[in-house]
Amino acid sequence: MQLEQKRALLRQYFTEHNRVVLGFSGGVDSAFLLAAAKEAGADITPVFIHTPFQPAFELEDARRLTDQLGIRLEIITANPLQQPEIVRNDAKRCYWCKHLLFSLLKDRARELNAVLIDGTNASDPEDDRPGMQALRELGAESPLRICGLNKDEIRQISKEYGLFTWDKPSYACLATRIPTGTAIDCKTLQKIENAEEALFRLGFSDFRVRVFHGAARIQLLASQWQMDEDRRRQVTDAVGQFFDTVLLDMTPRTSRE
């Protein structure tokens, strides 16, 4: 299907569903979806759910994007760490977390007599990942997937729209930095966020700081691996403010969640 056909399908979607509540993260996909809905004349309410699982810059980006588009952002505060099913961080952690957050969004959609939508796109795996299972159970619709728009196309159109998010790296929640089976706590999440913010300030992008037996394991893109001794020391010193042990993963990171 040609790109223009997909765009026409998306406009048609918002004609048929002209009142929607969007689970809004401030990332590439939800930002594009918000702009597309506005262009199509839909009544869209973006809702950002603020939790300890997100770094501060995500909320800042969400506010900046909605300000750019002239749309009021709603913010709901939730704490997944109050749910033992999430804290224990087993294989279904993402299911329980998505179920919590999208239940709140579903309640808001019901109040507004609106359709609940999210930013899942056609590039996202069509499998039974726990988070996707929760979305299906709660009746959330994914217009980008329905219309066949993939990540590259979304970035391309976002650039045309002038959205600053068009080249923003994908950013999975902070809980993904903690190994499955290791309990999640607020202190560890904060250490991860601080360590990643320190690397951002050094000019790195699209990286991860993962917890490995209590140490920080830094994953960088291959293009950012070329470092002299001084630069390497800057990296370890920056992250070492928050972790006693800092490890550099020798396998370059691929640009994925």
Side-chain angles (χ1 to χ4, degrees), residues 21 47 72 74 76 104-112:
V21 166
V47 182
R72 186 175 71 87
E74 292 192 8
I76 297 174
L104 297 173
L105 293 169
K106 185 175 182 178
D107 289 343
R108 185 62 180 131
R110 188 180 295 113
E111 291 171 356
L112 296 174

Side-chain angles (χ1 to χ4, degrees), residues 28-215:
V28 178
D29 300 322
S30 62
F32 166 70
L33 199 50
L34 184 62
K38 180 182 178 181
E39 182 183 57
D43 179 3
I44 184 166
T45 302
V47 182
F48 183 97
I49 303 184
H50 185 48
T51 78
F53 287 7
Q54 299 146 303
F57 78 80
E58 291 281 54
L59 178 54
E60 293 168 5
D61 283 357
R63 284 176 167 147
R64 178 182 169 194
L65 197 285
T66 50
D67 285 348
Q68 178 182 345
L69 295 175
I71 298 174
R72 186 175 71 87
L73 175 66
E74 292 192 8
I75 301 171
I76 297 174
T77 299
N79 188 2
L81 296 178
Q82 292 178 341
Q83 290 204 0
E85 301 92 344
I86 297 173
V87 171
R88 67 174 176 246
N89 196 24
D90 62 16
K92 290 196 69 176
R93 184 259 308 155
C94 191
Y95 168 83
W96 294 113
C97 191
K98 286 283 190 184
H99 201 283
L100 168 66
L101 304 185
F102 273 79
S103 291
L104 297 173
L105 293 169
K106 185 175 182 178
D107 289 343
R108 185 62 180 131
R110 188 180 295 113
E111 291 171 356
L112 296 174
N113 192 28
V115 175
L116 174 59
I117 63 173
D118 87 306
T120 303
N121 67 66
S123 297
D124 293 319
E126 293 189 55
D127 56 19
D128 289 325
R129 289 182 299 169
M132 296 303 298
Q133 179 186 345
L135 295 184
R136 287 194 298 270
E137 289 178 3
L138 292 167
E141 296 192 6
S142 304
L144 299 176
R145 171 169 279 174
I146 291 170
C147 299
L149 284 156
N150 62 44
K151 195 75 168 189
D152 289 341
E153 292 167 336
I154 291 164
R155 290 189 184 278
Q156 175 185 332
I157 307 171
S158 294
K159 189 175 183 180
E160 293 174 14
Y161 281 167
L163 303 179
F164 72 87
T165 51
W166 77 269
D167 63 345
K168 182 177 178 178
S170 297
Y171 198 90
C173 82
L174 294 172
T176 62
R177 316 296 198 266
I178 300 174
T180 300
T182 299
I184 302 171
D185 63 84
C186 197
K187 181 179 178 180
T188 302
L189 293 172
Q190 189 63 60
K191 287 168 62 177
I192 295 167
E193 178 178 356
N194 290 341
E196 293 197 343
E197 176 60 28
L199 290 182
F200 276 124
R201 289 197 297 269
L202 287 177
F204 292 95
S205 62
D206 208 357
F207 57 83
R208 295 289 184 266
V209 175
R210 301 191 187 277
V211 176
F212 180 74
H213 296 286

Side-chain angles (χ1 to χ4, degrees), residues 210-234:
R210 301 191 187 277
V211 176
F212 180 74
H213 296 286
R217 177 167 64 96
I218 302 173
Q219 295 179 316
L220 300 174
L221 297 176
S223 60
Q224 299 180 1
W225 246 105
Q226 299 302 316
M227 293 184 284
D228 58 24
E229 185 175 343
D230 287 342
R231 182 63 163 170
R232 193 180 299 263
R233 186 179 299 109
Q234 286 181 337

